[in-house]
Amino acid sequence: MTSTPSKQRVLSGMRPTGQLHLGHYHGALKNWVRLQSEMECFFFVADWHALTTHYEHREVVEKSVYEMVIDWLAAGLDPEQCTLFLQSRIPEHAELFTLLAMGTPLGWLERVPTYKDQQAKLKDKDLSTYGFLGYPLLQAADILIYKAHFVPVGEDQASHIELTREAARRFNHLYGREVNFDELVAASLNKLGKDSAKRLEKSRKKFQETGDAAALEGAMGFVQTHAELSEAEKERLQGWFKGTGRSVLVEPQALLTEASRLPGLDGDKMSKSYGNTIAIREERNSVEQKIKRMPTDPARIKVSDPGNPDACPVWQFHKVYSNADTCAWVRDGCSKASFGCLTCKQPLIDAVLTEQAPMLARAQPYVDNPQRVRDIMHAGTDRARQVARETMADVRDAMGLNY
Ligand code: TRP
Ligand code: SF4
């Protein structure tokens, strides 16, 4: 591991409910791959989450867990740079979920837009379950247990991150002030020395009276640099400064993917249930056939009919895969009917195959030797568990559960 504790932490998860496709790659994975070299990243297989919608189809989940990890590795996630793990092997997630559940108003969960949306969308499944309602709170536990600063997710998940922030705030509000909070703060101030303590108290007064952002920023930075304070002491002092108590749990931020949205072959959202996908590890021949069969602008019946790229799903693919010159060539040739649609699709076929070649090559050793995938997950899960345990010790402590 090259990560250092001072790096900002990123966490995200994916539900193992089937083969990953290019929509996942362009919408999420590509971003994860970039992040792994910039921050300390944890990525996990959300198998419990998959069961909230697939509790009657555990075979789908079971089959998809390691296949999905192979897709991740194919896409370029590097277990030397990031931590990959499996949710259900870290029961601490469930423990935090339970503890958060105690103080979470039902209305918070009922109001999450995905709750009603998904129920309406997935009509063939009975989603009026306790597990499905609780899904976003389990997600909050996934995130908070790693004290993640950033959570790369799609737009559809923004409300889950907002709920996570509320859950963290509520927890800190309820449990962030130990019984002897004031004494502990005084002891930490003592460690800083008289002058520093005085300055900090003055600046706290200013901040609490006027909301002076510069005072806040200065104080947070000042506390952070004091090596003689433990992490818990720093958090407590920062909480004291803000008047909120100690931040036992950290409020994360959504990292909305500026997704180069790749729609499905038919122009609709790419999704396995619509049968309009190209898998991350799709056979070369099949890629070619699928693109050749893509529907085009319906107004272009004969080669001599001019077309409009904006009414064509192939153009959406060009926008993701082709450079400016090729895009100009497409728009020009389409509107002047100077070539047929198969000609227009050829650079796309080449681009997708070129993108996939290194992915297939990276996946091969894992396909040949599935034990390597298990070993990677095992090592990553051990690392993640370490962090989860530390947070839970802190959480139990804050809640007074250390009898
Ligand atoms: N809910 C996410 C999805 O459907 C998956 C997920 C579960 C997740 N836990 C998470 C994503 C924690 C980010 C962080 O895509
Ligand atoms: Fe679509 Fe290209 Fe055919 Fe135009 S020429 S309709 S952009 S496939």
Side-chain angles (χ1 to χ4, degrees), residues 294-298 300 305-316 318 329-331 333-335 339-345:
M294 275 175 85
T296 57
D297 175 4
R300 267 206 101 181
D305 295 333
N308 172 13
D310 296 317
C312 177
V314 176
W315 170 244
Q316 299 303 317
H318 274 299
W329 171 80
V330 169
R331 292 202 73 92
C334 180
S335 56
F339 51 61
C341 291
L342 278 180
T343 304
C344 176
K345 288 171 172 179

Side-chain angles (χ1 to χ4, degrees), residues 11-15 44 46 49 135 139 142-143 151 153 157 160:
L11 173 113
S12 199
M14 248 185 230
R15 298 150 36 94
F44 76 101
H49 286 273
Y135 184 128
Q139 182 166 353
D142 298 334
I143 297 167
V151 187
V153 284
Q157 298 281 308
H160 295 185

Side-chain angles (χ1 to χ4, degrees), residues 282-387:
E282 180 105 24
E283 296 260 342
R284 294 180 71 90
N285 266 338
S286 167
V287 170
E288 195 169 341
Q289 289 313 313
K290 281 182 170 179
I291 295 178
K292 282 187 172 162
R293 273 194 238 113
M294 275 175 85
T296 57
D297 175 4
R300 267 206 101 181
I301 299 161
K302 295 192 290 327
V303 185
S304 55
D305 295 333
N308 172 13
D310 296 317
C312 177
V314 176
W315 170 244
Q316 299 303 317
F317 270 58
H318 274 299
K319 283 207 284 195
V320 172
Y321 280 99
S322 301
N323 61 22
D325 284 350
T326 307
C327 285
W329 171 80
V330 169
R331 292 202 73 92
D332 184 67
C334 180
S335 56
K336 292 187 184 143
S338 57
F339 51 61
C341 291
L342 278 180
T343 304
C344 176
K345 288 171 172 179
Q346 193 53 48
L348 236 147
I349 295 174
D350 297 338
V352 174
L353 290 177
T354 305
E355 176 178 75
Q356 287 191 323
M359 299 206 220
L360 288 168
R362 276 192 293 260
Q364 200 54 49
Y366 301 108
V367 175
D368 294 340
N369 184 359
Q371 188 54 41
R372 286 184 58 176
V373 184
R374 287 164 198 268
D375 291 345
I376 287 170
M377 290 306 277
H378 196 86
T381 302
D382 278 347
R383 271 203 303 268
R385 189 181 292 117
Q386 192 72 27
V387 178

Side-chain angles (χ1 to χ4, degrees), residues 29 32-34 36 43 72-79 82 84 362:
L29 271 179
W32 289 14
V33 172
R34 184 175 55 77
Q36 70 179 346
F43 299 120
W72 288 0
L73 297 164
L77 285 186
D78 172 4
C82 62
L84 306 178
R362 276 192 293 260

